[in-house]
């Protein structure tokens, strides 16, 4: 089965293999009778299916079938409809292959979203539609059947992929994974980061992993041999799948080092630090502007820091501010007591009332999505942008509130200058790279959920010599010094340092 056939790029090679196998095993049979149940493909778009049908029909005729036989097989093999809703008319498949569609859930009509969510338990949070395609495809496998998809790798680590990861862990085996990040796997350029996943309905076992193959016939044939264990090049990783936990599919040696550190040190938040995201207002146009130009009462605005303030790697304030409609003790302020604030927000009332957060509680139309707690302004913190290509962890001395496009770390135990050295180091990047999804250009997402995965000793257990080295490196921001101090802090061996630093085997 192929659940989204497109114009037949997978279908034609499938048919070639089927015909070759049929000719080896049969002589003089009726191909329509013998092969009519061999393939099922589904396509939602009628014009796209028509193109696939025309291509398939011509291909069958070119391979020796009559026009009538080709028409009959096309009629039997091809289905028009929504794969997530149609009846397939078969009791299980030996193989499901393809490239399911990438459609963000918010692009789907509400009524159809509701129906999909009723049918597919993996459509969780903001899951892409391909997640439901994978759920149904796995459900259609016979015992021992195998699914092979080239699909986005986002679901292996992010929040919305949790239910699908759990489903795979229940009665399935991730046999193979091929990392296709930055690999031109498609006929046209696409933004999505993809991987090849081969999942069997069988008892779990090790996963064979390969990374970023070259797209040419010789290299791909070699890749197939490597995955089958016929020549070196791929690695086997045990215990990749564990309930809904993110999948660790990175280079095996780095994974081994990370697992050792996970056993030896507590999580960042268990070590006395806290990772958070800045405030989401729900309408920055109304709440954010030049601090001096925000015409509200002085106690209703706070200095604000955004990613633009730290793009140089240091804090260079642009003078922005954020309006605070919240009372310190909780709840919203009475606008009657703040006429300037009321007048300012009234200009945006129509837009503010359209937000979902206001529709449920019309009297609170002027609230920001996140509550603002002014005391956070005056707390020293480390600022970290969501997407990072190079190190950019900035110390903020406690003078600004934080915007939602920034993450920040605070601590009552750790010296933040020393912690900056750790977060700038290759050790922190090791954890973030393992748990986060990569963006174009191998940029990492330093979101709070990934920062919390970093392992860190408690400050009280750090020796004085390590404290001094970390502080000095954190103050200077010198990345090599940060690495040296962090490697010593974690007690890495020379071999582990070479692996974490990313040195190729020949240089270790």
């Amino acid at each position: 089965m192929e659940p989204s056939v497109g114009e037949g790029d997978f279908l034609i090679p499938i048919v070639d293999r089927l015909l070759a196998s049929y000719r080896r095993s049969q002589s003089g049979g009726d191909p329509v009778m013998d092969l009519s149940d061999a393939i099922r493909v589904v396509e939602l778009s009628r014009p796209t299916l028509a193109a696939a049908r025309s291509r398939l029909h011509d291909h069958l005729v070119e391979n020796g079938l009559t026009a009538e036989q080709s028409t009959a097989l096309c009629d039997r093999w091809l289905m028009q409809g929504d794969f997530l809703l149609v009846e397939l008319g078969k009791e299980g498949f030996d193989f499901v292959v393809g490239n399911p569609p990438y459609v963000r859930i918010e692009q789907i009509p509400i009524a159809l979203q509701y129906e999909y969510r009723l049918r597919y338990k993996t459509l969780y949070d903001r899951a892409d539609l391909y997640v439901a395609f994978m759920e149904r495809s796995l459900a259609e496998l016979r015992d021992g059947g195998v699914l092979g998809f080239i699909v986005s790798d986002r679901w292996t680590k992010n929040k919305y992929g949790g239910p699908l990861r759990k489903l795979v862990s229940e009665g399935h085996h991730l046999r193979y994974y091929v990392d296709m990040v930055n690999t031109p796997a498609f006929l046209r350029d696409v933004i999505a980061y993809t991987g090849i996943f081969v999942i069997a309905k069988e008892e779990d076992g090790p996963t064979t992993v390969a990374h970023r193959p070259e797209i040419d016939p010789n290299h791909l044939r070699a890749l197939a041999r490597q995955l089958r264990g016929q020549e070196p090049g791929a690695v086997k990783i045990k215990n990749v799948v564990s309930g809904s936990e993110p999948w660790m599919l990175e280079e095996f040696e780095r994974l081994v080092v990370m697992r050792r550190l996970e056993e030896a040190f507590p999580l960042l938040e268990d070590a006395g630090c806290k990772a958070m995201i800045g405030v989401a207002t729900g309408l920055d146009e109304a709440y954010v502007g030049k601090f001096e130009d925000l015409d509200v009462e002085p106690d209703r605005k706070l200095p604000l820091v955004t990613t633009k303030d730290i793009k140089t790697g240091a804090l260079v304030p642009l003078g922005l501010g954020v309006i605070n409609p919240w009372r310190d003790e909780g709840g919203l302020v009475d606008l009657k007591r703040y006429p300037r604030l009321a007048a300012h927000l009234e200009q945006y009332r129509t837009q503010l009332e359209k937000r979902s957060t206001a529709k449920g509680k019309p009297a609170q139309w002027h609230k920001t999505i996140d509550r603002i707690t002014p005391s956070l302004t005056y707390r020293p913190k480390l600022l970290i942008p969501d997407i990072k290509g190079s190190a950019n962890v900035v110390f903020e001395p406690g003078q600004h509130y934080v915007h939602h496009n920034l993450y920040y770390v605070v601590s009552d135990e750790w010296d933040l200058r020393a912690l900056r050295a750790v977060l700038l180091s290759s050790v922190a990047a090791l954890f973030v790279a393992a748990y986060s999804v990569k963006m174009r250009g191998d940029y990492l997402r330093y979101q709070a959920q990934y920062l919390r995965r970093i392992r860190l000793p408690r400050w009280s257990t750090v020796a004085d010599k390590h404290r001094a080295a970390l502080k000095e490196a954190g103050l200077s921001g010198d990345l090599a010094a940060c690495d040296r101090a962090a490697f010593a802090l974690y007690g890495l061996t020379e071999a582990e340092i070479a692996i974490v630093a990313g040195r190729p085997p020949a240089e270790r």
Side-chain angles (χ1 to χ4, degrees), residues 161-349:
L164 181 56
R165 294 193 296 271
K166 188 172 189 299
L167 177 66
V168 173
S169 75
E170 298 169 344
H172 301 90
H173 172 204
L174 177 62
R175 284 187 183 176
Y176 309 114
Y177 168 70
V178 182
D179 166 21
M180 303 292 282
V181 173
N182 289 336
T183 302
F186 299 97
L187 296 177
R188 63 182 187 279
D189 188 33
V190 296
I191 295 176
Y193 283 85
T194 55
I196 296 172
F197 299 86
V198 178
I199 304 170
K201 190 174 182 180
E202 63 188 17
E203 185 176 347
D204 191 23
T207 300
T208 303
V209 178
H211 293 277
R212 308 186 186 189
E214 293 186 36
I215 306 300
D216 72 69
N218 290 332
H219 280 92
L220 294 177
R221 291 189 189 100
L223 173 64
R225 293 191 296 270
Q226 292 164 13
L227 294 176
R228 292 195 296 264
Q230 296 169 345
E231 62 179 68
V235 297
K236 286 185 180 292
I237 302 178
K238 295 180 180 179
N239 303 320
V240 168
V241 176
S242 177
S244 61
E245 283 293 300
W247 290 358
M248 300 294 100
L249 292 163
E250 284 64 38
E251 292 86 346
F252 183 67
E253 291 178 315
R254 292 172 63 83
L255 182 60
V256 170
V257 175
M258 192 184 75
R259 290 297 191 213
R260 184 184 76 75
L261 297 181
E262 287 182 333
E263 292 177 0
F265 300 100
L267 291 163
L268 180 135
E269 294 201 331
D270 292 333
C273 305
K274 193 168 183 63
M276 295 181 284
I277 188 172
V279 62
T281 67
L283 187 67
D284 280 356
E285 180 185 355
Y287 294 101
V288 176
K290 283 287 187 180
F291 184 85
E292 297 299 332
D293 296 340
L294 290 173
D295 187 14
V296 299
E297 288 75 10
D299 65 334
R300 292 299 96 204
K301 60 183 179 179
L302 297 165
L304 185 71
V305 62
T306 73
T307 52
K308 292 181 179 179
D309 297 273
I310 65 167
K311 65 181 181 180
T312 63
L315 179 60
V316 183
L318 298 177
L320 294 178
V322 61
I323 288 173
N324 177 21
W326 298 88
R327 296 182 300 163
D328 291 357
E329 61 272 23
L332 293 165
V333 298
D334 183 354
L335 290 179
K336 293 178 182 178
R337 297 183 56 189
Y338 291 93
R340 290 167 61 188
L341 173 64
H344 174 85
L345 292 177
E346 191 66 37
Q347 302 174 72
Y348 303 95
R349 182 165 185 155

Side-chain angles (χ1 to χ4, degrees), residues 392-405:
N392 193 15
V393 179
V394 175
F395 177 75
E396 196 282 316
Q399 298 172 349
H400 297 83
Y401 212 76
V402 183
H403 194 235
H404 69 85
N405 55 10

Side-chain angles (χ1 to χ4, degrees), residues 3 82-88 105 112-125 127-140 160 163-164 167:
D82 185 338
F83 172 72
L84 298 179
L85 303 178
V86 298
E87 294 295 329
L88 294 170
I105 195 71
L112 192 55
Q113 281 189 46
Y114 180 76
E115 182 63 28
Y116 286 160
R117 290 190 188 276
L118 279 178
R119 295 183 182 222
Y120 300 102
K121 63 182 181 182
T122 60
L123 271 182
Y124 166 68
D125 195 53
D128 194 291
L129 198 62
Y130 71 79
V131 168
F133 269 70
M134 293 190 73
E135 178 180 342
R136 180 164 195 194
S137 297
L138 290 171
E140 295 292 340
Y160 75 62
L164 181 56
L167 177 66

Side-chain angles (χ1 to χ4, degrees), residues 152-169:
S152 170
D153 63 2
R154 291 293 187 264
W155 69 280
T156 65
K157 293 184 179 181
N158 64 14
K159 179 181 177 182
Y160 75 62
L164 181 56
R165 294 193 296 271
K166 188 172 189 299
L167 177 66
V168 173
S169 75

Side-chain angles (χ1 to χ4, degrees), residues 36-70:
S36 62
D37 278 337
I39 293 174
R40 289 286 185 278
V41 298
V42 184
E43 175 56 48
L44 178 61
S45 165
R46 292 181 185 276
T48 301
L49 185 65
R53 181 186 177 96
S54 175
R55 183 179 177 189
L56 174 61
H57 186 277
D58 292 347
H59 193 73
L60 290 171
V61 171
E62 290 169 3
N63 279 271
L65 275 68
T66 67
E68 292 76 13
Q69 290 171 329
S70 300

